[in-house]
Amino acid sequence: MVATTLSPLAPASFPALPPIAGVRLGTIAAGVKYKDRPDVTFITFPEGTVVAGVFTRSLTPGAPILWCRDALKASGGRARALVVNAGNSNVFTGDEGYNASAETARAAARLVGCPAEDVLVSSTGVIGVPLPYEKIVGALPSVVLAEDRWEAAARGIMTTDTFAKGATATADLGGVTVTINGIAKGSGMIEPNMATMLAYVATDAAIGQAALDAILRDVNERSFNAITVDSDTSTSDTLLLFATGTAGNAPVADPASPALADFRAKLEAVMGDLARQVVRDGEGAQKFITVRVRGAEDHAAAKRVGKTIANSPLVKTAIAGEDANWGRIVAAVGKSYEKVDARRLTVTFGGQVLTENGRVRPGYDEDALTRHLKGQEIDIEVDLAVGQGEATVWTCDLTHGYIAINADYRS
Amino acid sequence: MVATTLSPLAPASFPALPPIAGVRLGTIAAGVKYKDRPDVTFITFPEGTVVAGVFTRSLTPGAPILWCRDALKASGGRARALVVNAGNSNVFTGDEGYNASAETARAAARLVGCPAEDVLVSSTGVIGVPLPYEKIVGALPSVVLAEDRWEAAARGIMTTDTFAKGATATADLGGVTVTINGIAKGSGMIEPNMATMLAYVATDAAIGQAALDAILRDVNERSFNAITVDSDTSTSDTLLLFATGTAGNAPVADPASPALADFRAKLEAVMGDLARQVVRDGEGAQKFITVRVRGAEDHAAAKRVGKTIANSPLVKTAIAGEDANWGRIVAAVGKSYEKVDARRLTVTFGGQVLTENGRVRPGYDEDALTRHLKGQEIDIEVDLAVGQGEATVWTCDLTHGYIAINADYRS
């Protein structure tokens, strides 16, 4: 792996994540692939914890994805533990790969004292190499677990990440204050057709499993599913939301309950923050780009146009070069094949409207646009002028750093 | 624009394109954008010439695309002239842009003595800048036309291309030898949802316009529509096939006529050659990559999987880095969302089968794979094991050169 320096878009520091009662975390250097760094993360949850998950839509998913789907089905959404290893994704590893995930879960289950299906597992790293699960199984009993080790857990799941990613919020749920903590990893192979590579969110709220699942899918659409780094959907994308129910609120079973309004908003804040941190750690990223699309036929069309702009190598390289080549945005809109009124299409770049009547707006301020492009936060808005659909997508620029990191990852 | 050196994948020399009777070509430095190089190409065709065209599917197409579609409709597929300018694409230029294309066509029509709708126009270059068409109109009368200036025409249409692209073949058509000549340009913003940016093919065969159109669309699917450089479909993609009918063969009106078999094969050779030259001039390309997909549900599914592999930044950067990271090919197959039997999926890289039973094949020769990757011609094959669909896609690697060229094009 190429030695990487801290992303220039990194937050100043890791936020202070408060304990969530009964959620205990720890890491250990098991030597799965990396030397001299923690590469196995172990998290346990109190009895009564429920979990909801969304996973990659890839049709060549990794063995941990298959295990998690099976486990969630078997347990009905109970969870007592999570084991994550970094350095090896356990993808395209055949029956032996599934067995490696199962053995990892069984080892954790023995330590916790629960059925294996109450244990979720994730793996991230190189594809196609057998996972030396014996190292994980052998290391798990030595992991020191504590409620105050969220940052260590965030570090333990990193691969090419240049900073650990965490977010936290509190919400009012029926008069009770509940906490939401989340950690995530991911910096390449990011086009969520569900999520970033790995993200784990836990709360002490008491929410029924079916409601938790509905809320997770809804919020995911506007957070992890609204980011892209390089259009490459991973085989391992996993997002899990755990609810321990220890906060003391009256349990909520209906996802549409008005009591959940603040919880939903704060969950979106936490998940959106984590998702944007993944973009800020995009491989080689020098600029953080927000793409807002309005006037589309519907939300899905707006999202597709936003993704097409955000994934265009020509748009991303122009921004990397601080080049006011807004015509590439118009070209990207066109190749989305979504309905647009080309004569009424409006492109706004850095807050400045650049177009009118299907052509450039005479007298637009190119110097102001150039100044905007020299900053780290780039804003693109397009109005397709055909409907009311809106969506926001976040991405980063495409730089020499991306090439350097990815042309020499496995070796 | 960044000064670029000749692509390492360039052919040794421009092929010798023989004259086609009555097809006269010339170029001139009109100063549309570039200084001191021919930037306007003018080609005239004899009376009786028919033309078929396919154009970008972009929903923000350039004014020349709108003009060509209108002209083909009005003329019923007659053609007497083609005018191409480089340096300005006349895209997103409003009503004035359409007028610029029309005025260019009218000026050529006056010189040739034909209706304006018998003149096709193309523009390539920067988006969103008004086209100074007066310069083109003013320069056209000074263009020196001759039948032996195919290479000059190929040079006149270049933008970021590092070499001129031409191809030629002869075919037997009902006992008469006919000639097929083609030129093309394009090196970035290449994902044919029809073609490369610009390609013009001419033949002296006598073929009815409807038959010509059917043949063009069929052959396009396996040539220009089977390449990708960077997934960015242009607003200006244009492919035109002119047939002068001067060769003396008995005119053919039925595209399914057995008499056309050799013509079709040779047309595919010429168009395929041009399309692959576009890939060989892909911005920053160091490796030419052939992706063959077999065992898909149908041809369309195979093509989509091939394009997904060919457009994956992670696959393209791994090859740029000569890194045997074949797991990224598996990941790309998965994110195509096309049906695959993941346990029977076969990945063949450099002629070596790497997988069996849903995992890596024990004992595969990594040294041989590394040697293959150090070459310029990279071969990837995947068998999805679910059907009989096949397709071949050509692309290039993603290198620092692509970033350098595109982060500083407009300025």
Side-chain angles (χ1 to χ4, degrees), chain A residues 32-110:
Chain A
V32 171
K33 173 167 184 271
Y34 302 118
K35 307 290 172 206
D36 305 321
R37 61 152 272 193
D39 57 356
V40 170
T41 301
F42 188 24
I43 308 179
T44 61
F45 301 91
E47 279 194 66
T49 296
V50 294
V51 64
V54 284
F55 303 95
T56 182
R57 282 180 54 211
S58 170
L59 297 184
T60 56
I65 302 291
L66 302 179
W67 171 263
C68 284
R69 287 183 177 138
D70 289 348
L72 281 173
K73 203 167 180 179
S75 73
R78 282 192 319 263
R80 293 297 308 284
L82 168 70
V83 182
V84 185
N85 76 272
N88 183 317
S89 69
N90 194 14
V91 169
F92 209 70
T93 44
D95 292 341
E96 298 89 334
Y98 189 86
N99 183 59
S101 291
E103 287 296 335
T104 302
R106 285 181 201 122
R110 280 191 299 272

Side-chain angles (χ1 to χ4, degrees), chain A residues 239-251:
Chain A
L239 165 62
L240 297 171
L241 171 58
F242 300 88
T244 64
T246 53
N249 65 288

Side-chain angles (χ1 to χ4, degrees), chain B residues 40 42 63-64 66-68 70-71 81-85 90 94-112 114-117 119-123 131-141:
Chain B
V40 169
F42 187 23
L66 302 178
W67 171 263
C68 284
D70 288 348
L82 168 70
V83 182
V84 185
N85 75 271
N90 194 15
D95 292 341
E96 297 90 334
Y98 189 86
N99 182 60
S101 291
E103 287 296 333
T104 302
R106 285 181 200 121
R110 281 192 298 273
L111 292 168
V112 174
C114 70
E117 67 255 30
V119 180
L120 290 311
V121 300
S122 296
S123 299
L131 176 68
Y133 69 90
E134 304 87 348
K135 292 183 179 177
I136 303 173
V137 169
L140 279 182

